[in-house]
Amino acid sequence: MSRNLLRDYSSDSETDNPATGGGEAKELHRPVMTGRVMEVLSVEREEWYVDATLGQGGHTCAILALGGRVVAFDVDPEAIARAREFLFPGHEERLILVPANHRDMGEILASWEIRPRGVILDSGWSMNQAGSERAGLSFEGTGPLDMRLDPTLPVTARMILEESSAEELACLLSNFGEEPLAFGIARALVQSRSRGRLPGTPRDLAAFVSGVYYRKGFRRSRRHPATRTFMALRIAVNQEIDSLVKGLEGVRPILQPGGRLAVLSFHSREDREVKHLFRNWVREERGELLFPKPLVPSDEELSENPRSRSAKLRVFIAH
Ligand SMILES: C[S@@+](CC[C@H](N)C(=O)[O-])C[C@H]1O[C@@H](n2cnc3c(N)ncnc32)[C@H](O)[C@@H]1O
């Protein structure tokens, strides 16, 4: 494999990069279970690892610090631009930043003849994206109802709300968000739409869903009532489940024998997909599980970073 090719890829993509310059994160994203992830990847010097979800680079940084080399993917051009500015200098020989969906990582790595020793996929979105008005992921957002992590994707959350029937919306909220009030919320949204009053911003949508909860008699809950609605729309807009499954299926065959595939997921729908995929591979004798049950954050991490509470880490070892 040509190192120049790798370096060229990094600099070409900078030219193409539509990033606006990154912008400072409103809140720093804390990478989840970093110590455990490094343990399970068992990082070796000079070997290639893949960070399928670069984000703010916590896992990438940890692999680099242990002497590994990293190919890091992210669909968000701002994540790539930030890493190019803060992580890339000094690591030019050991880090390749790829502004692409991890759904294609197997093909891209194979074309570079890279067989990784390990992969970490830390799904979802990071804190700075929640603070970005562009993405419209925060309950307080006053920008457009967008929710695309990759701004080139064709469908926004607003388009889904404008174009779906009540049944389609209910199905989406139930399937991707496991929202218990899926039908009530979907019906209320479609009725409101017919009166020309669809929520226009993330803040409006959060208030709208809270209103449905209130009318149904729900008064208190640990989580914001709109949590599941936002999650479902974000998963649909970014085709997260499909990308996850295609990405894992694509990268598994090119792992080195003994290579490890570690997936951190944050909701049950996603964790179920990973569990089934890994189980099927074990049945097909393509490898084994490092642990029969998923690992979860330690009490110490939970108290320091309550956002890690729903994390589950599953690890597959390739034969
Ligand atoms: C939870 S964050 C990762 C945090 C990261 N591990 C860290 O230490 O900062 C998830 C990141 O994955 C990116 N992402 C989500 N779906 C993706 C996909 N299909 N392909 C590539 N990147 C994706 C998001 O844009 C986000 O930056």
Side-chain angles (χ1 to χ4, degrees):
M1 171 188 45
S2 143
R3 285 206 177 159
N4 285 336
L5 171 72
L6 302 182
R7 254 183 268 129
D8 285 345
Y9 189 91
S10 282
S11 30
D12 281 352
S13 48
E14 186 166 27
T15 320
D16 294 342
N17 199 327
T20 55
E24 280 309 301
K26 295 214 170 105
E27 189 176 345
L28 197 64
H29 181 85
R30 289 198 199 188
V32 173
M33 297 177 77
T34 310
R36 286 303 252 166
V37 169
M38 293 308 117
E39 261 171 57
V40 301
L41 288 182
S42 174
V43 175
E44 291 172 37
R45 298 188 75 77
E46 302 309 325
E47 289 285 354
W48 281 107
Y49 294 84
V50 174
D51 185 345
T53 44
L54 167 72
Q56 290 187 297
H59 292 130
T60 287
C61 250
I63 297 171
L64 290 170
L66 291 168
R69 304 199 267 183
V70 184
V71 183
F73 291 81
D74 207 295
V75 282
D76 181 352
E78 291 180 15
I80 296 285
R82 217 177 14 252
R84 200 178 301 290
E85 191 176 344
F86 297 110
L87 259 179
F88 196 58
H91 292 114
E92 290 83 352
E93 300 291 323
R94 333 181 56 80
L95 174 62
I96 306 169
L97 298 169
V98 191
N101 195 307
H102 54 229
R103 138 202 326 255
D104 302 320
M105 63 184 161
E107 222 172 289
I108 293 173
L109 293 164
S111 74
W112 292 339
E113 295 174 27
I114 291 181
R115 295 199 69 184
R117 187 85 199 130
V119 178
I120 168 68
L121 192 156
D122 172 12
S123 75
W125 45 289
S126 57
M127 285 315 302
N128 62 305
Q129 290 168 319
S132 146
E133 283 289 330
R134 174 185 72 67
L137 292 163
S138 151
F139 299 139
E140 292 304 322
T142 53
L145 253 178
D146 190 309
M147 299 200 184
R148 291 172 302 171
L149 300 175
D150 170 357
T152 67
L153 283 173
V155 176
T156 66
R158 171 85 195 178
M159 287 158 78
I160 292 180
L161 295 186
E162 275 171 352
E163 291 163 24
S164 308
S165 66
E167 291 70 26
E168 285 165 344
L169 267 182
C171 205
L172 184 151
L173 296 178
S174 171
N175 198 10
F176 292 148
E178 296 175 337
E179 169 57 65
L181 297 189
F183 280 94
I185 295 169
R187 239 188 336 260
L189 277 167
V190 169
Q191 275 166 8
S192 200
R193 183 176 73 194
S194 68
R195 293 195 296 270
R197 288 209 226 119
L198 204 51
T201 65
R203 181 189 283 180
D204 293 345
L205 178 62
F208 186 94
V209 175
S210 299
V212 176
Y213 262 76
Y214 196 80
R215 286 195 296 281
K216 297 270 181 197
F218 291 85
R219 294 291 183 269
R220 276 171 177 275
S221 97
R222 195 165 53 89
R223 295 202 273 200
H224 192 294
T227 302
R228 290 174 182 277
T229 297
F230 272 57
M231 180 171 89
L233 285 169
R234 195 203 73 223
I235 290 175
V237 164
N238 295 288
Q239 301 161 17
E240 289 181 20
I241 304 291
D242 193 52
S243 295
L244 171 81
V245 171
K246 296 233 165 68
L248 296 177
E249 282 176 344
V251 82
R252 196 226 10 104
I254 61 164
L255 277 172
Q256 290 180 23
R260 289 162 179 218
L261 188 43
V263 183
L264 266 170
S265 50
F266 292 84
H267 53 86
S268 48
R269 174 73 169 75
E270 198 170 54
D271 182 56
R272 261 200 315 274
E273 294 287 341
V274 179
K275 182 170 85 178
H276 288 142
L277 208 54
F278 283 8
R279 281 199 182 153
N280 284 344
W281 294 344
V282 171
R283 217 170 291 129
E284 293 164 6
E285 300 185 359
R286 300 190 185 281
E288 58 197 283
L289 303 179
L290 186 56
F291 305 102
K293 297 250 180 242
L295 300 179
V296 293
S298 64
D299 290 344
E300 196 186 341
E301 177 161 7
L302 286 172
S303 67
E304 279 171 12
N305 182 12
R307 285 196 184 86
S308 68
R309 67 179 172 268
S310 44
K312 285 192 176 152
L313 175 64
R314 295 188 185 268
V315 188
F316 175 81
I317 309 178
H319 280 167

